[in-house]
């Protein structure tokens, strides 16, 4: 679609309605919260942007990039997006979404043409940027081309590529690259004040502990095989990790030993902070790891946490960043192209070392994956391609 037609359509569908809203009479406070609350108004805006008329205008914008876009799944459920950075099967994605201990189901990579691959390993990780390289047994794959010098202006329109012809979402560039400080990690348990082992007195609702299945009266024995001998020791140990880190938890429940996997969340404390988190979540769930980035730019595309890890493009179809976190009700973070390219270069070197010297770079690389079409295990580093009848 010609650029001027695209801009005209976007003005009629997005800019004009927002302008009319700015000059509309302001409702009284009671009306705002009773008949047209914050969440309702936000979702109306999202639905307008998500309409086929709007997204369809961006088909040509994401056409090239979608060929190199990947969707990661476990048990048929999408857990992350990614972008191919090497024609022989290396894919960049959000590390904390794929590098977890909760990996009983194989990690499958699906391409835009419908082909599916079982992954062989997480070949390298950039923990600072929460990026990972995942390896599949592919050849001559299309590669995502990253624009390292593209300068975005505030108010620029961006599109997030997916596997379909239409983009996953569109949004407005709202904040230049900046640092986001790391927040403390939170397990989400209140501990008994009695001396002795780390005994859970209460589990915080919707916390990492609650999601993992930890219960009151459980005694936490170890984290990642590190023995925990007291409540204070547990607190100190959790502080050494970051939000989004995946841990193995061993606990005693009555006289039974229980093993669980937990993904740490961000620290939340006090009524004001709780209200802030509630308002942030009005637009949907947020990414578990959404802080501690050296450099990210912000846009207001509406994404689910599992839609992070994939490329975002400008109106010229250039990949200007990689979505790294759903950070707030109207905030999505993306790693700028220049930072992304540097990180990928370092990880590619690490991945080459892993392949040539059999160095284990991550906790997943040593575990065989199981084919969805067979009960037989694959050897470490081996992959199996899963063709689909709908491949094109």
């Amino acid at each position: 679609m010609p650029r001027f037609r695209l801009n005209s359509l976007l003005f009629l569908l997005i800019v004009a309605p927002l302008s009319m809203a700015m000059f509309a009479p302001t409702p009284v406070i009671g009306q705002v919260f009773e008949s047209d609350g914050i969440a309702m108004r936000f979702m109306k805006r999202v639905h307008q942007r998500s309409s086929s008329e709007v997204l369809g205008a961006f088909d040509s914008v994401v056409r090239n990039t979608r060929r190199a876009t990947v969707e990661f799944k476990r048990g048929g459920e999408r857990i992350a997006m990614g972008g191919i950075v090497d024609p022989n099967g290396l894919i960049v994605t959000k590390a904390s979404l794929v590098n977890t201990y909760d990996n009983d189901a194989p990690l499958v990579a699906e391409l835009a043409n419908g082909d599916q691959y079982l992954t062989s390993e997480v070949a390298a990780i950039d923990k600072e940027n929460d990026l990972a390289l995942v390896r599949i047994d592919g050849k001559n794959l299309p590669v995502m081309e990253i624009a390292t010098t593209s300068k975005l202006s505030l108010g620029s329109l961006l599109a997030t590529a997916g596997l379909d012809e239409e983009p996953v979402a569109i949004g407005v560039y709202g904040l230049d690259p900046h640092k986001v400080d790391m927040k403390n990690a939170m397990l989400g348990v209140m501990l008994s004040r009695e001396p002795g082992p780390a005994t859970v007195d209460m589990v915080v609702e919707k916390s990492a502990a609650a999601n993992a299945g930890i219960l009151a009266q459980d005694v936490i024995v170890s984290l990642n095989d590190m023995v925990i001998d007291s409540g204070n020791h547990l607190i100190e140990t959790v502080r050494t990790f970051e939000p989004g880190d995946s841990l193995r938890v061993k606990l005693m429940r009555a006289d039974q030993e229980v093993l669980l996997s937990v993904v740490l969340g961000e620290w939340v404390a006090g009524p004001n902070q709780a209200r802030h988190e509630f308002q942030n979540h009005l637009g949907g769930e947020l990414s578990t790891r959404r802080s501690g980035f050296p450099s990210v730019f912000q846009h207001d595309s509406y994404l689910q946490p599992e839609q992070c890890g994939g490329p975002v493009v400008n109106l010229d179809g250039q990949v200007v960043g990689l979505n790294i976190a759903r950070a707030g009700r109207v905030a999505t973070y993306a790693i700028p192209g220049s930072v992304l390219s540097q990180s990928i270069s370092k990880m590619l070197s690490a991945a080459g070392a892993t392949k040539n010297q059999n160095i284990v770079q991550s906790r997943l690389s040593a575990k065989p994956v199981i084919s969805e079409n067979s009960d037989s295990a694959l050897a470490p580093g081996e992959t199996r391609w899963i063709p689909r009848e709908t491949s094109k």
Side-chain angles (χ1 to χ4, degrees):
M1 177 179 291
R3 184 72 171 270
F4 74 90
R5 287 181 58 195
L6 177 61
N7 289 337
S8 298
L9 179 58
L10 293 175
F11 179 82
L12 290 173
L13 293 174
I14 300 177
V15 180
L18 292 178
S19 301
M20 292 174 64
M22 292 175 59
F23 293 103
T26 303
V28 297
I29 295 178
Q31 291 175 327
V32 170
F33 286 96
E34 291 178 11
S35 63
D36 199 17
I38 295 174
M40 185 179 296
R41 286 185 285 134
F42 173 75
M43 292 311 297
K44 282 183 178 179
R45 182 183 178 192
V46 169
H47 291 323
Q48 288 173 349
R49 289 189 180 185
S50 301
S51 68
S52 58
E53 291 84 359
V54 174
L55 294 179
F58 287 81
D59 287 0
S60 61
V61 173
V62 297
R63 181 173 299 147
N64 291 331
T65 301
R66 67 178 285 267
R67 297 175 60 246
T69 301
V70 174
E71 188 173 282
F72 288 103
K73 296 180 179 180
R74 287 194 193 276
E77 297 291 331
R78 180 183 60 215
I79 64 166
M81 303 297 295
I84 302 171
V85 295
D86 183 277
N88 293 321
L90 285 170
I91 306 163
V92 66
T93 186
K94 182 174 172 68
S96 58
L97 291 179
V98 298
N99 197 45
T100 68
Y101 287 113
D102 186 17
N103 60 349
D104 290 336
L107 182 63
V108 176
E110 181 174 350
L111 277 58
N113 65 359
D115 290 345
Q116 295 184 352
Y117 296 81
L118 282 172
T119 62
S120 59
E121 63 177 351
V122 176
I125 292 177
D126 175 358
K127 190 170 178 59
E128 187 177 36
N129 288 295
D130 197 20
L131 293 173
L133 281 185
V134 178
R135 192 190 304 278
I136 62 174
D137 187 19
K139 300 294 182 183
N140 301 317
L141 300 176
V143 175
M144 177 177 68
E145 296 184 7
I146 303 168
T148 59
T149 59
S150 178
K151 175 64 176 177
L152 294 171
S153 301
L154 296 180
S156 299
L157 288 167
L158 302 173
T160 293
L163 301 191
D164 297 329
E165 293 185 2
E166 294 180 351
V168 172
I170 60 171
V172 177
Y173 179 82
L175 199 61
D176 287 329
H178 59 285
K179 181 181 179 180
V180 178
D181 292 330
M182 177 65 75
K183 294 185 178 180
N184 293 329
M186 177 176 174
L187 178 58
V189 296
M190 303 291 289
L191 299 172
S192 171
R193 296 185 179 182
E194 298 294 327
T199 303
V200 177
D201 190 47
M202 185 183 75
V203 178
V204 178
E205 185 180 0
K206 296 184 179 180
S207 66
N211 293 336
I214 296 176
L215 304 176
Q217 304 308 313
D218 285 346
V219 178
I220 297 178
V221 176
S222 69
L223 293 180
N224 280 7
D225 300 325
M226 295 180 289
V227 175
I228 302 298
D229 53 26
S230 68
N232 286 336
H233 189 200
L234 174 64
I235 294 171
E236 293 170 359
T237 303
V238 170
R239 285 175 177 172
T240 65
F241 294 98
E242 299 174 351
D245 281 349
S246 178
L247 308 181
R248 297 186 307 272
V249 180
K250 180 191 293 185
L251 54 86
M252 294 301 298
R253 180 171 296 165
D255 295 328
Q256 183 180 5
E257 182 179 277
V258 179
L259 300 177
L260 298 174
S261 299
V262 60
V263 178
L264 295 177
E266 286 191 352
W267 175 258
V268 178
N272 292 332
Q273 182 67 20
R275 177 173 174 79
H276 173 71
E277 288 298 306
F278 169 75
Q279 290 175 337
N280 261 345
H281 280 80
L282 284 177
E285 290 299 316
L286 305 183
S287 297
T288 303
R289 165 76 188 273
R290 55 184 186 274
S291 64
F293 301 111
S295 179
V296 291
F297 65 79
Q298 181 176 315
H299 58 103
D300 67 350
S301 301
Y302 180 74
L303 298 176
Q304 299 294 336
E306 67 272 13
Q307 291 175 317
C308 291
V312 57
V313 304
N314 61 15
L315 288 185
D316 293 322
Q318 299 173 316
V319 177
V320 294
L322 184 133
N323 291 316
I324 201 62
R326 171 77 177 160
R329 181 165 52 90
V330 290
T332 293
Y333 292 154
I335 296 178
S338 57
V339 177
L340 179 62
S341 292
Q342 293 174 6
S343 174
I344 289 173
S345 294
K346 293 177 181 178
M347 289 193 294
L348 284 173
S349 298
T354 302
K355 185 175 182 180
N356 296 332
Q357 302 174 24
N358 296 320
I359 298 173
V360 176
Q361 292 274 344
S362 82
R363 48 181 172 264
L364 289 188
S365 57
K367 178 173 180 177
V369 294
I370 307 301
S371 169
E372 291 185 333
N373 299 333
S374 170
D375 292 331
S376 61
L378 301 178
E382 183 185 355
T383 56
R384 183 178 291 117
W385 177 52
I386 310 173
R388 271 186 21 171
E389 294 181 359
T390 56
S391 299
K392 51 185 177 181

